Amino acid sequence: QKEVEQNSGPLSVPEGAIASLNCTYSDRGSQSFFWYRQYSGKSPELIMSIYSNGDKEDGRFTAQLNKASQYVSLLIRDSQPSDSATYLCAVSGWDSSYKLIFGSGTRLLVRP
Amino acid sequence: NAGVMQNPRHLVRRRGQEARLRCSPMKGHSHVYWYRQLPEEGLKFMVYLQKENIIDESGMPKERFSAEFPKEGPSILRIQQVVRGDSAAYFCASSPVVETGASNTGELFFGEGSRLTVL
């Protein structure tokens, strides 16, 4: 079983729609959760971090965390073509907080 | 440019040669991390360094790979006797501080990566 699992996609949504990206993780000791965006050939860019159960909103982005279900998601409202990228879910544990375990990413395509 | 700087951006080596990848962290950051990304895969942790110290190298292959972060100068990831399976994108990241339980735990700033191709 992979430590962090994501659907590879592509997830295709029309412009203006809500894109929902999901991620599950296997280590119940995971403490910190991150969503990175990576454009093709570019570096990963942190867009959201979440540390406690519930929702965290930042602009058009909302991260949701459910530790009991070992599930974290990212919602992108009013999707734009510029949101088209690969979204990487990453988690870290309390004992090695610097060591991020990444999923393989979900490719999002926003159709104009 | 105050970001994480990596060079070279692209490197081509023949099997058996050595590859050296360099990384300068963001200004004010003293923690450096190297990750490897194979095609269609997520980033895999390799090593975590502070100045003159290797903190965690649990993700580094036992042979041919080494990393350093000297007191002066950039961090270096060195791959000796490269093989085709070493072809990948190698990303360096930095952070200002790593404290267990702190709100900034794990927030890394990545460089643009060095893409190694082994012929």
Side-chain angles (χ1 to χ4, degrees):
Chain A
Q1 182 189 8
K2 286 185 180 177
E3 293 180 81
V4 178
E5 294 213 45
Q6 296 180 256
N7 189 319
S8 61
L11 172 65
S12 181
V13 300
E15 185 174 355
I18 296 176
S20 178
L21 304 163
N22 305 314
C23 170
T24 58
Y25 59 94
S26 60
D27 184 1
R28 283 195 173 276
S30 299
Q31 293 288 308
S32 306
F33 306 85
F34 306 89
W35 284 98
Y36 283 81
R37 178 176 62 199
Q38 186 176 27
Y39 292 110
S40 181
K42 298 295 186 181
S43 60
E45 173 192 10
L46 179 67
I47 54 172
M48 288 289 286
S49 57
I50 187 166
Y51 305 96
S52 54
N53 280 328
D55 295 0
K56 179 182 178 183
E57 186 174 319
D58 183 0
R60 295 187 296 112
F61 299 98
T62 298
Q64 299 174 317
L65 175 61
N66 183 326
K67 288 187 177 180
S69 300
Q70 295 174 242
Y71 177 90
V72 58
S73 66
L74 178 71
L75 300 178
I76 307 174
R77 289 180 298 281
D78 189 23
S79 296
Q80 301 297 309
S82 59
D83 293 327
S84 297
T86 296
Y87 289 80
L88 303 171
C89 173
V91 307
S92 67
W94 68 271
D95 59 338
S96 57
S97 57
Y98 52 83
K99 189 185 299 184
L100 296 185
I101 309 298
F102 282 86
S104 55
T106 297
R107 193 156 63 97
L108 173 66
L109 296 175
V110 180
R111 308 187 303 271
Chain B
N1 187 338
V4 178
M5 302 299 293
Q6 289 189 248
N7 68 84
R9 293 291 310 279
H10 300 275
L11 182 64
V12 179
R13 285 288 179 267
R14 296 191 180 278
R15 281 180 297 170
Q17 292 184 318
E18 179 180 288
R20 281 188 181 230
L21 310 176
R22 290 175 290 278
C23 169
S24 295
M26 284 182 71
K27 189 174 182 179
H29 289 190
S30 57
H31 302 252
V32 165
Y33 316 79
W34 286 92
Y35 282 77
R36 175 165 65 176
Q37 187 174 36
L38 295 170
E40 306 303 322
E41 293 189 16
L43 288 89
K44 304 292 185 189
F45 170 83
M46 298 182 75
V47 62
Y48 162 40
L49 310 106
Q50 296 178 19
K51 286 283 187 181
E52 299 185 281
N53 282 304
I54 298 174
I55 307 302
D56 183 345
E57 56 182 349
S58 59
M60 289 271 277
K62 294 288 185 271
E63 298 178 349
R64 302 188 297 108
F65 284 72
S66 61
E68 63 176 7
F69 190 14
K71 186 176 180 181
E72 301 291 337
S75 175
I76 306 285
L77 178 67
R78 182 184 178 200
I79 311 172
Q80 295 177 290
Q81 299 174 323
V82 296
V83 300
R84 289 212 172 110
D86 296 333
S87 296
Y90 291 84
F91 287 95
C92 173
S94 69
S95 70
V97 62
V98 176
E99 295 177 8
T100 300
S103 61
N104 64 343
T105 298
E107 294 183 9
L108 304 183
F109 297 85
F110 282 86
E112 291 285 307
S114 291
R115 281 154 182 82
L116 171 65
T117 300
V118 179
L119 301 178

